[in-house]
Amino acid sequence: MNINIICVGKIKEKYILDGIQEFAKRMQAFGKLKIFELKEDGNDSNRNMSIEKESKSILETLEKNKGFKILLDIQGKNFSSEDMASQIEKIGLNGDSTINFIIGGSYGVSEDIRKSADLRLSFSKMTFPHQLMRLILIEQIYRWFSIIKNTKYHK
């Protein structure tokens, strides 16, 4: 399985980078992981313009990387780790060999991105920093594959 994480912005904190690198290394046992870091616009004076610019970059990246699209969205559906592992397994069984996880910018994503997503996934009603969310996501991806492959990581 090919896993792409398409995200806006760069990781600045070393401890977060270290965690991401650790789980990326562990993921090698389950498939190919690629992280696409897109430029953050961050125009505080015109949030809508920022959302549109960042969303355009996301859509361009998705065009080059066809596959099942999962948008991290606070208004999305909540799953337990076991239920999400089952969803991931079903995606593969339905013929998709690539899953694109999308983390928008700090102002969110356009309605076009929301509509194009095959699944909108919420980790919580709480708001997390985007850098930390990337680490949480990659840990959960590793956990989901551990559940699917029945390894002892998930307890």
Side-chain angles (χ1 to χ4, degrees):
M1 176 81 59
N2 298 309
I3 302 293
N4 296 326
I5 299 175
I6 300 167
C7 44
V8 175
K10 292 194 179 285
I11 301 294
K12 298 174 183 124
E13 303 292 338
K14 183 181 178 337
Y15 72 95
I16 294 175
L17 271 172
D18 290 345
I20 289 169
Q21 289 170 352
E22 175 61 30
F23 284 106
K25 184 174 76 175
R26 293 181 189 190
M27 275 298 299
Q28 291 173 355
F30 301 125
K32 190 173 178 183
L33 174 75
K34 287 176 76 176
I35 298 174
F36 295 87
E37 285 186 335
L38 307 178
K39 187 173 189 263
E40 184 174 25
D41 186 63
N43 184 344
D44 289 332
S45 63
N46 192 338
R47 290 180 178 202
N48 289 337
M49 185 183 295
S50 287
I51 289 170
E52 290 306 316
K53 279 185 181 178
E54 293 167 356
S55 293
K56 183 177 182 216
S57 293
I58 292 169
L59 287 170
E60 288 169 356
T61 305
L62 288 169
E63 278 298 313
K64 296 174 191 169
N65 297 280
K66 302 284 187 201
F68 195 89
K69 298 178 287 299
I70 299 175
L71 172 65
L72 274 60
D73 185 349
I74 199 166
Q75 296 171 349
K77 186 172 181 180
N78 287 306
F79 291 91
S80 68
S81 292
E82 294 86 351
D83 290 341
M84 192 60 200
S86 178
Q87 288 291 318
I88 297 293
E89 197 167 27
K90 285 178 193 170
I91 291 166
L93 292 173
N94 288 334
D96 281 303
S97 61
T98 300
I99 300 175
N100 294 301
F101 289 92
I102 305 158
I103 303 174
S106 57
Y107 301 134
V109 296
S110 69
E111 196 57 35
D112 288 343
I113 300 281
R114 279 193 185 83
K115 288 179 182 174
S116 74
D118 298 304
L119 174 66
R120 291 170 47 196
L121 173 65
S122 175
F123 276 73
S124 171
K125 295 289 182 198
M126 291 185 256
T127 302
F128 295 102
H130 284 71
Q131 292 186 32
L132 187 55
M133 192 64 236
R134 196 179 317 173
L135 175 56
I136 294 168
L137 173 62
I138 196 168
E139 186 279 335
Q140 282 297 296
I141 293 169
Y142 177 72
R143 182 176 301 275
W144 301 330
F145 279 96
S146 295
I147 292 168
I148 292 166
K149 300 295 183 184
N150 200 28
T151 67
K152 59 183 176 177
Y153 177 76
H154 177 72
K155 295 191 184 221

Short mmCIF file of all heavy atoms in Angstrom, two decimals, residues 5 7-20 35 37 40 72 103-106 127-139:
data_model
loop_
_atom_site.label_atom_id
_atom_site.label_comp_id
_atom_site.label_asym_id
_atom_site.label_seq_id
_atom_site.Cartn_x
_atom_site.Cartn_y
_atom_site.Cartn_z
N ILE A 5 1.01 11.56 2.63
CA ILE A 5 0.50 12.59 3.53
C ILE A 5 0.77 13.92 2.83
O ILE A 5 1.92 14.28 2.59
CB ILE A 5 1.18 12.54 4.91
CG1 ILE A 5 0.91 11.20 5.58
CG2 ILE A 5 0.68 13.70 5.78
CD1 ILE A 5 1.63 11.00 6.90
N CYS A 7 0.36 17.79 3.08
CA CYS A 7 0.15 18.73 4.18
C CYS A 7 0.73 20.10 3.83
O CYS A 7 1.64 20.22 3.03
CB CYS A 7 0.78 18.20 5.45
SG CYS A 7 2.42 17.50 5.23
N VAL A 8 0.15 21.10 4.45
CA VAL A 8 0.57 22.48 4.24
C VAL A 8 1.50 22.86 5.38
O VAL A 8 1.19 22.67 6.55
CB VAL A 8 -0.66 23.42 4.20
CG1 VAL A 8 -0.22 24.87 4.11
CG2 VAL A 8 -1.56 23.05 3.02
N GLY A 9 2.66 23.39 5.02
CA GLY A 9 3.61 23.88 6.02
C GLY A 9 4.71 22.89 6.32
O GLY A 9 4.61 21.69 6.01
N LYS A 10 5.77 23.40 6.90
CA LYS A 10 6.94 22.60 7.27
C LYS A 10 6.96 22.38 8.77
O LYS A 10 6.47 23.21 9.53
CB LYS A 10 8.23 23.30 6.85
CG LYS A 10 8.41 23.38 5.34
CD LYS A 10 9.83 23.78 5.02
CE LYS A 10 10.06 23.85 3.55
NZ LYS A 10 10.17 22.56 2.90
N ILE A 11 7.57 21.28 9.18
CA ILE A 11 7.76 20.98 10.60
C ILE A 11 8.97 21.77 11.08
O ILE A 11 10.05 21.69 10.49
CB ILE A 11 7.96 19.47 10.83
CG1 ILE A 11 6.77 18.66 10.31
CG2 ILE A 11 8.26 19.18 12.29
CD1 ILE A 11 5.49 18.89 11.06
N LYS A 12 8.81 22.50 12.17
CA LYS A 12 9.89 23.32 12.70
C LYS A 12 10.51 22.74 13.97
O LYS A 12 11.66 22.99 14.28
CB LYS A 12 9.37 24.73 12.97
CG LYS A 12 8.88 25.42 11.71
CD LYS A 12 8.22 26.75 12.02
CE LYS A 12 7.70 27.35 10.74
NZ LYS A 12 6.32 27.65 10.74
N GLU A 13 9.73 21.97 14.71
CA GLU A 13 10.19 21.45 16.00
C GLU A 13 10.93 20.13 15.82
O GLU A 13 10.39 19.19 15.22
CB GLU A 13 9.00 21.25 16.94
CG GLU A 13 8.18 22.50 17.18
CD GLU A 13 8.92 23.57 17.97
OE1 GLU A 13 9.90 23.25 18.67
OE2 GLU A 13 8.52 24.73 17.87
N LYS A 14 12.15 20.03 16.37
CA LYS A 14 12.96 18.83 16.21
C LYS A 14 12.30 17.60 16.82
O LYS A 14 12.33 16.51 16.24
CB LYS A 14 14.34 19.05 16.82
CG LYS A 14 15.26 17.84 16.61
CD LYS A 14 16.61 18.03 17.23
CE LYS A 14 17.56 16.87 17.09
NZ LYS A 14 17.04 15.56 16.88
N TYR A 15 11.68 17.74 17.98
CA TYR A 15 11.08 16.57 18.63
C TYR A 15 9.92 16.00 17.80
O TYR A 15 9.70 14.79 17.78
CB TYR A 15 10.63 16.89 20.06
CG TYR A 15 9.40 17.77 20.18
CD1 TYR A 15 8.14 17.21 20.33
CD2 TYR A 15 9.51 19.16 20.14
CE1 TYR A 15 7.01 18.01 20.44
CE2 TYR A 15 8.39 19.96 20.26
CZ TYR A 15 7.15 19.38 20.40
OH TYR A 15 6.04 20.17 20.51
N ILE A 16 9.20 16.87 17.09
CA ILE A 16 8.12 16.38 16.22
C ILE A 16 8.73 15.69 15.00
O ILE A 16 8.28 14.62 14.60
CB ILE A 16 7.18 17.53 15.82
CG1 ILE A 16 6.43 18.06 17.06
CG2 ILE A 16 6.18 17.07 14.76
CD1 ILE A 16 5.56 19.28 16.81
N LEU A 17 9.76 16.30 14.41
CA LEU A 17 10.45 15.68 13.27
C LEU A 17 11.00 14.31 13.65
O LEU A 17 10.88 13.36 12.87
CB LEU A 17 11.61 16.57 12.81
CG LEU A 17 11.30 17.62 11.78
CD1 LEU A 17 12.50 18.53 11.56
CD2 LEU A 17 10.87 17.00 10.47
N ASP A 18 11.59 14.20 14.83
CA ASP A 18 12.14 12.92 15.29
C ASP A 18 11.05 11.86 15.38
O ASP A 18 11.24 10.72 14.96
CB ASP A 18 12.83 13.07 16.65
CG ASP A 18 14.13 13.87 16.58
OD1 ASP A 18 14.65 14.07 15.46
OD2 ASP A 18 14.61 14.30 17.64
N GLY A 19 9.88 12.23 15.91
CA GLY A 19 8.77 11.29 16.02
C GLY A 19 8.27 10.86 14.65
O GLY A 19 8.01 9.67 14.41
N ILE A 20 8.14 11.81 13.74
CA ILE A 20 7.69 11.50 12.38
C ILE A 20 8.67 10.56 11.70
O ILE A 20 8.27 9.56 11.08
CB ILE A 20 7.49 12.80 11.57
CG1 ILE A 20 6.26 13.55 12.10
CG2 ILE A 20 7.36 12.51 10.07
CD1 ILE A 20 6.12 14.96 11.56
N ILE A 35 5.69 11.97 2.16
CA ILE A 35 5.12 13.19 2.74
C ILE A 35 5.37 14.33 1.76
O ILE A 35 6.50 14.56 1.34
CB ILE A 35 5.74 13.50 4.12
CG1 ILE A 35 5.43 12.37 5.10
CG2 ILE A 35 5.23 14.85 4.63
CD1 ILE A 35 6.10 12.49 6.45
N GLU A 37 5.14 18.21 1.55
CA GLU A 37 5.00 19.45 2.31
C GLU A 37 4.77 20.59 1.33
O GLU A 37 5.65 20.90 0.52
CB GLU A 37 6.26 19.74 3.13
CG GLU A 37 6.41 18.89 4.35
CD GLU A 37 7.60 19.30 5.20
OE1 GLU A 37 8.56 19.91 4.68
OE2 GLU A 37 7.56 19.03 6.41
N GLU A 40 3.01 27.02 2.78
CA GLU A 40 1.97 27.68 3.56
C GLU A 40 1.90 29.14 3.12
O GLU A 40 2.92 29.81 3.02
CB GLU A 40 2.29 27.59 5.05
CG GLU A 40 1.22 28.16 5.95
CD GLU A 40 1.53 27.92 7.42
OE1 GLU A 40 2.71 27.76 7.78
OE2 GLU A 40 0.56 27.90 8.20
N LEU A 72 -8.40 15.20 6.75
CA LEU A 72 -8.54 15.40 8.19
C LEU A 72 -9.36 16.66 8.39
O LEU A 72 -8.98 17.74 7.92
CB LEU A 72 -7.17 15.53 8.85
CG LEU A 72 -6.52 14.20 9.23
CD1 LEU A 72 -6.29 13.30 8.05
CD2 LEU A 72 -5.24 14.42 9.99
N ILE A 103 -3.87 17.14 5.13
CA ILE A 103 -3.91 18.05 6.27
C ILE A 103 -3.81 19.46 5.69
O ILE A 103 -2.78 19.83 5.14
CB ILE A 103 -2.75 17.81 7.26
CG1 ILE A 103 -2.75 16.36 7.75
CG2 ILE A 103 -2.85 18.79 8.43
CD1 ILE A 103 -1.54 16.01 8.63
N GLY A 104 -4.88 20.22 5.80
CA GLY A 104 -4.91 21.58 5.26
C GLY A 104 -4.08 22.54 6.09
O GLY A 104 -3.44 22.17 7.07
N GLY A 105 -4.11 23.78 5.66
CA GLY A 105 -3.39 24.83 6.37
C GLY A 105 -4.12 25.27 7.63
O GLY A 105 -5.20 24.76 7.96
N SER A 106 -3.56 26.23 8.32
CA SER A 106 -4.13 26.66 9.61
C SER A 106 -5.50 27.29 9.46
O SER A 106 -6.27 27.32 10.42
CB SER A 106 -3.17 27.61 10.32
OG SER A 106 -2.88 28.72 9.51
N THR A 127 -8.95 21.21 18.61
CA THR A 127 -8.03 21.69 17.59
C THR A 127 -6.61 21.35 18.01
O THR A 127 -6.23 21.59 19.16
CB THR A 127 -8.18 23.22 17.42
OG1 THR A 127 -9.53 23.50 17.09
CG2 THR A 127 -7.26 23.74 16.34
N PHE A 128 -5.83 20.79 17.07
CA PHE A 128 -4.43 20.45 17.33
C PHE A 128 -3.55 21.30 16.42
O PHE A 128 -3.94 21.63 15.30
CB PHE A 128 -4.16 18.98 17.02
CG PHE A 128 -4.90 18.03 17.91
CD1 PHE A 128 -6.04 17.37 17.45
CD2 PHE A 128 -4.46 17.77 19.20
CE1 PHE A 128 -6.73 16.49 18.26
CE2 PHE A 128 -5.15 16.88 20.01
CZ PHE A 128 -6.28 16.25 19.55
N PRO A 129 -2.33 21.63 16.87
CA PRO A 129 -1.39 22.31 15.98
C PRO A 129 -1.11 21.40 14.77
O PRO A 129 -1.02 20.18 14.91
CB PRO A 129 -0.12 22.47 16.83
CG PRO A 129 -0.56 22.26 18.24
CD PRO A 129 -1.76 21.38 18.20
N HIS A 130 -0.99 22.00 13.59
CA HIS A 130 -0.81 21.21 12.38
C HIS A 130 0.46 20.35 12.42
O HIS A 130 0.46 19.24 11.91
CB HIS A 130 -0.82 22.12 11.15
CG HIS A 130 -2.20 22.56 10.80
ND1 HIS A 130 -2.91 23.45 11.56
CD2 HIS A 130 -3.02 22.19 9.80
CE1 HIS A 130 -4.10 23.62 11.04
NE2 HIS A 130 -4.19 22.87 9.97
N GLN A 131 1.52 20.88 13.02
CA GLN A 131 2.76 20.11 13.11
C GLN A 131 2.54 18.86 13.97
O GLN A 131 2.94 17.76 13.60
CB GLN A 131 3.88 20.95 13.72
CG GLN A 131 4.32 22.07 12.82
CD GLN A 131 5.52 22.78 13.39
OE1 GLN A 131 6.36 22.18 14.06
NE2 GLN A 131 5.63 24.07 13.13
N LEU A 132 1.88 19.03 15.09
CA LEU A 132 1.63 17.90 15.99
C LEU A 132 0.64 16.92 15.35
O LEU A 132 0.77 15.71 15.50
CB LEU A 132 1.10 18.41 17.33
CG LEU A 132 0.95 17.39 18.44
CD1 LEU A 132 2.25 16.65 18.70
CD2 LEU A 132 0.47 18.07 19.70
N MET A 133 -0.32 17.43 14.61
CA MET A 133 -1.31 16.56 13.97
C MET A 133 -0.64 15.61 12.98
O MET A 133 -1.05 14.47 12.84
CB MET A 133 -2.38 17.41 13.26
CG MET A 133 -3.57 16.61 12.82
SD MET A 133 -4.46 15.90 14.23
CE MET A 133 -4.44 14.19 13.79
N ARG A 134 0.39 16.08 12.31
CA ARG A 134 1.11 15.21 11.37
C ARG A 134 1.74 14.03 12.11
O ARG A 134 1.69 12.89 11.64
CB ARG A 134 2.17 16.00 10.62
CG ARG A 134 2.64 15.24 9.40
CD ARG A 134 3.67 15.94 8.58
NE ARG A 134 3.45 17.35 8.35
CZ ARG A 134 4.34 18.13 7.75
NH1 ARG A 134 5.47 17.63 7.31
NH2 ARG A 134 4.11 19.41 7.59
N LEU A 135 2.32 14.29 13.28
CA LEU A 135 2.89 13.21 14.09
C LEU A 135 1.80 12.26 14.57
O LEU A 135 1.95 11.04 14.50
CB LEU A 135 3.67 13.79 15.28
CG LEU A 135 4.23 12.78 16.28
CD1 LEU A 135 5.15 11.76 15.61
CD2 LEU A 135 4.96 13.52 17.39
N ILE A 136 0.69 12.81 15.05
CA ILE A 136 -0.42 11.97 15.51
C ILE A 136 -0.93 11.11 14.36
O ILE A 136 -1.17 9.91 14.52
CB ILE A 136 -1.54 12.84 16.11
CG1 ILE A 136 -1.07 13.52 17.39
CG2 ILE A 136 -2.80 12.00 16.36
CD1 ILE A 136 -2.00 14.61 17.89
N LEU A 137 -1.09 11.70 13.18
CA LEU A 137 -1.57 10.95 12.01
C LEU A 137 -0.64 9.81 11.66
O LEU A 137 -1.08 8.68 11.47
CB LEU A 137 -1.76 11.88 10.81
CG LEU A 137 -2.09 11.18 9.49
CD1 LEU A 137 -3.42 10.44 9.57
CD2 LEU A 137 -2.09 12.19 8.34
N ILE A 138 0.64 10.08 11.56
CA ILE A 138 1.56 9.02 11.14
C ILE A 138 1.63 7.91 12.19
O ILE A 138 1.73 6.73 11.86
CB ILE A 138 2.96 9.58 10.77
CG1 ILE A 138 3.73 8.54 9.97
CG2 ILE A 138 3.73 10.03 11.97
CD1 ILE A 138 4.98 9.08 9.32
N GLU A 139 1.50 8.27 13.47
CA GLU A 139 1.46 7.22 14.50
C GLU A 139 0.21 6.37 14.32
O GLU A 139 0.26 5.15 14.42
CB GLU A 139 1.48 7.84 15.90
CG GLU A 139 1.58 6.82 17.04
CD GLU A 139 0.27 6.15 17.42
OE1 GLU A 139 -0.81 6.74 17.19
OE2 GLU A 139 0.31 5.01 17.97
#
